């Protein structure tokens, strides 16, 4: 069932989303060569605790997982697409790209967003990957207007990304967000205009294109959480939580664009 | 955090909650078009001829038939004999313990079923009440 949010609920979702955005903005400044993904995790953990919230992901165990996610954030480097487990042993190197996914649960509601950051100077293909993925998110949000469908959102991502010579992840999707981290409907990064659930005022969605430079195949890592590209090509991931309004969609996780 | 397109996994034990087969136990052996699950019970339905079922019409259990899950992870075909063995031992355990509920038996663990890896899979209670 899709839960349409009231004005009062949206106030709470804006608050949770603002915390998420602030953390992502802070982590953008923290990401640099020599920093571990474990350190990024601790920065986020301290920030969330300071706001009186809790990490949405830590301890989260969906039905497909055999054990709960252990980190505050997901930190996925290079060929890791999503759900990388932060670790002090994973040191970022010059030229890497790292996707940071943050979820915050505050006063009964979740905020969920992600950015992929370059670590120092990156090669031209990685730069293009980040540009294309972030732009696809913008196009998807532009398509997320009342009366359109989730198919319009997916089509916006798919058509642009494929035109740029990259691939999309089809096995993981965006989703509704609110009182639960994962609510209905699913928001795939592919589709056809006019297909699927119709977007309505008050619908809150986490839209999250996941894009790779190589083949559209992924596999699950040995920790049963991290999702990696099957051919070890690079991947990027950008995400915002939004609410459908009568006009343009409102962004609930207003992290600052790179 | 991205949501898997399909919430279930190959090897997971599920119980039908809708249809003529309500209450029947299956193992997921794959996924079919339209988001349907491919289910096997090693009797009427097997790996080569699975039952197609809407995911909304089954209840997932926290248990997996580990051999089937291992096959899926290594992209090998699921061995029919292993599935037969799983269901035979499950039936035996039900008889020995005079239990009526499959989940009770699975929760207790099946002695000698070294390849039935009892895992606590879903805990959706976390969803929505993080922290």
């Amino acid at each position: 069932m899709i839960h349409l949010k009231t004005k009062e609920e949206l106030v709470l979702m804006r608050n949770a989303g603002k915390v998420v955005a602030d953390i992502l903005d802070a982590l953008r400044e923290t990401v640099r060569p020599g920093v571990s993904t474990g350190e990024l995790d601790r920065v986020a953990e301290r920030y969330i605790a300071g706001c009186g919230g809790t990490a949405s992901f830590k301890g989260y165990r969906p039905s497909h997982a055999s054990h709960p996610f252990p980190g505050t954030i997901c930190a996925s480097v290079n060929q890791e697409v999503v759900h990388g487990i932060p670790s002090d042993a994973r040191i970022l190197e010059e030229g890497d790209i790292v996707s940071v996914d943050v979820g915050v649960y505050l006063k009964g509601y979740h905020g969920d967003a992600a950015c992929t950051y370059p670590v120092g100077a990156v090669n031209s293909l990685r730069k293009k990957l980040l540009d294309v993925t972030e732009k696809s998110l913008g196009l998807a949000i532009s398509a997320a207007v009342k009366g359109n469908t989730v198919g319009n959102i997916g089509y916006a991502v798919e058509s642009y990304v494929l035109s740029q010579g990259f691939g999309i992840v089809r096995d993981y999707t965006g989703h509704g967000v609110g009182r639960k981290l994962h609510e209905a409907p699913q928001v795939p990064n592919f589709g056809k205009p006019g297909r699927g659930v119709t977007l309505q005022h008050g619908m809150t969605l986490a839209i999250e294109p996941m894009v790779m430079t190589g083949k559209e195949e992924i596999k699950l890592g040995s920790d049963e959480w991290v999702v990696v590209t099957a051919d070890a090509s690079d991947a990027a991931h950008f995400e915002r939580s939004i609410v459908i309004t009568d006009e343009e969609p409102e962004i609930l996780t207003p992290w600052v664009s790179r | 955090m991205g949501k898997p397109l399909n919430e279930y996994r190959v090897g997971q034990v599920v119980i039908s909650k809708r249809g003529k087969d309500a209450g029947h136990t299956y193992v997921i052996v794959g996924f079919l078009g339209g988001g349907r699950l491919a289910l096997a019970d090693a009797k009427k339905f097997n790996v080569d001829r699975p039952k197609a079922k809407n995911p909304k019409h089954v209840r997932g259990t926290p248990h997996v038939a580990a051999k089937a899950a291992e096959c899926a992870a290594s992209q090998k075909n699921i061995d029919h004999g292993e599935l037969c063995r799983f269901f035979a031992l499950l039936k035996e355990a039900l008889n020995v313990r005079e239990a009526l509920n499959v989940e009770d038996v699975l929760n207790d663990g099946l002695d000698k079923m070294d390849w039935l890896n009892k895992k606590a899979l879903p805990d959706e209670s976390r969803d929505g009440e993080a922290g």
Side-chain angles (χ1 to χ4, degrees):
Chain A
M1 191 182 77
I2 297 171
H3 177 61
L4 303 178
K5 307 317 186 277
T6 64
K7 285 181 181 175
E8 292 74 22
E9 288 179 299
L10 288 174
V11 170
L12 297 172
M13 288 200 67
R14 284 187 196 99
N15 292 340
K18 180 68 167 56
V19 174
V20 171
D22 288 347
I23 292 169
L24 284 168
D25 290 339
L27 290 177
R28 186 181 60 233
E29 305 302 322
T30 309
V31 167
R32 60 181 182 277
V35 170
S36 71
T37 57
E39 192 170 334
L40 301 180
D41 196 62
R42 286 189 290 277
V43 169
E45 191 171 16
R46 283 195 296 270
Y47 198 99
I48 293 171
C51 296
T54 53
S56 299
F57 305 161
K58 197 165 196 170
Y60 179 61
R61 185 169 56 198
S63 59
H64 68 281
S66 61
H67 56 276
F69 189 79
T72 293
I73 64 168
C74 301
S76 312
V77 183
N78 298 340
Q79 78 275 18
E80 296 172 352
V81 186
V82 288
H83 304 168
I85 296 175
S87 163
D88 287 338
R90 190 63 187 261
I91 309 294
L92 299 176
E93 297 178 3
E94 179 83 19
D96 283 345
I97 52 175
V98 56
S99 157
V100 177
D101 195 345
V102 177
V104 171
Y105 184 70
L106 184 67
K107 295 183 179 174
Y109 289 85
H110 292 272
D112 188 8
C115 287
T116 303
Y117 302 116
V119 182
V122 299
N123 66 36
S124 58
L125 183 62
R126 285 179 172 171
K127 183 178 184 308
K128 182 182 176 186
L129 174 65
L130 300 192
D131 291 344
V132 166
T133 311
E134 185 171 359
K135 185 173 178 183
S136 74
L137 173 60
L139 293 170
I141 292 172
S142 297
V145 294
K146 183 180 170 184
N148 271 356
T149 67
V150 293
N152 289 87
I153 296 173
Y155 178 77
V157 175
E158 182 183 26
S159 57
Y160 176 65
V161 168
L162 298 187
S163 76
Q164 297 301 305
F166 292 148
I168 52 172
V169 173
R170 296 173 190 268
D171 297 309
Y172 286 80
T173 72
H175 50 88
V177 61
R179 288 186 290 201
K180 292 183 177 180
L181 177 61
H182 289 158
E183 294 185 350
Q186 285 195 314
V187 187
N189 293 310
F190 58 92
K192 294 180 179 175
R195 296 283 181 86
V197 172
T198 301
L199 305 178
Q200 300 175 60
H201 180 101
M203 197 179 277
T204 46
L205 306 174
I207 300 176
E208 45 183 317
M210 292 159 254
V211 176
M212 67 263 277
T213 58
K215 288 184 179 177
E216 288 186 345
E217 289 179 27
I218 57 167
K219 59 183 182 181
L220 204 57
S222 57
D223 63 19
E224 294 189 17
W225 268 105
V226 67
V227 175
V228 300
T229 56
D231 60 2
S233 60
D234 291 324
H237 173 217
F238 286 85
E239 176 184 15
R240 288 191 194 272
S241 297
I242 65 159
V243 57
I244 307 298
T245 72
D246 289 333
E247 298 171 351
E248 295 298 306
E250 178 188 340
I251 293 171
L252 299 172
T253 51
W255 47 261
V256 178
S257 182
R258 293 175 298 120
Chain B
M1 175 179 268
K3 181 180 170 77
L5 190 61
N6 202 315
E7 295 282 5
Y8 290 99
R9 57 190 291 197
V10 172
Q12 187 171 355
V13 180
V14 299
I15 298 172
S16 172
K17 62 180 184 181
R18 292 276 292 274
K20 292 178 182 174
D21 63 344
H24 198 66
T25 303
Y26 297 98
V27 167
I28 297 174
V29 294
F31 302 100
L32 304 170
R36 294 171 304 163
L37 303 174
L39 306 176
D41 60 3
K43 285 166 41 178
K44 189 173 180 182
F45 301 101
N46 55 46
V47 177
D48 296 330
R49 200 172 63 84
K51 179 176 180 60
K53 192 95 178 165
N54 184 331
K56 292 178 180 175
H57 296 168
V58 301
R59 185 175 74 252
T61 76
H63 308 283
V64 293
K67 283 290 184 188
E70 285 171 14
C71 289
S74 56
Q75 298 188 329
K76 294 177 183 170
N77 292 329
I78 297 170
D79 185 71
H80 178 68
E82 294 287 4
L83 274 184
C84 290
R85 184 165 176 248
F86 169 77
F87 281 104
L89 286 171
L90 183 59
K91 184 178 178 182
E92 183 183 343
L94 283 164
N95 290 336
V96 168
R97 300 184 189 190
E98 297 181 342
L100 296 175
N101 190 318
V102 170
E103 285 181 278
D104 287 345
V105 172
L106 290 169
N107 286 334
D108 289 345
L110 296 180
D111 294 338
K112 299 176 184 175
M113 291 185 69
D114 57 335
W115 51 272
L116 174 63
N117 189 2
K118 183 181 167 222
K119 291 181 175 179
L121 260 179
D123 185 5
E124 295 284 9
S125 60
R126 176 81 191 169
D127 207 358
E129 55 182 32

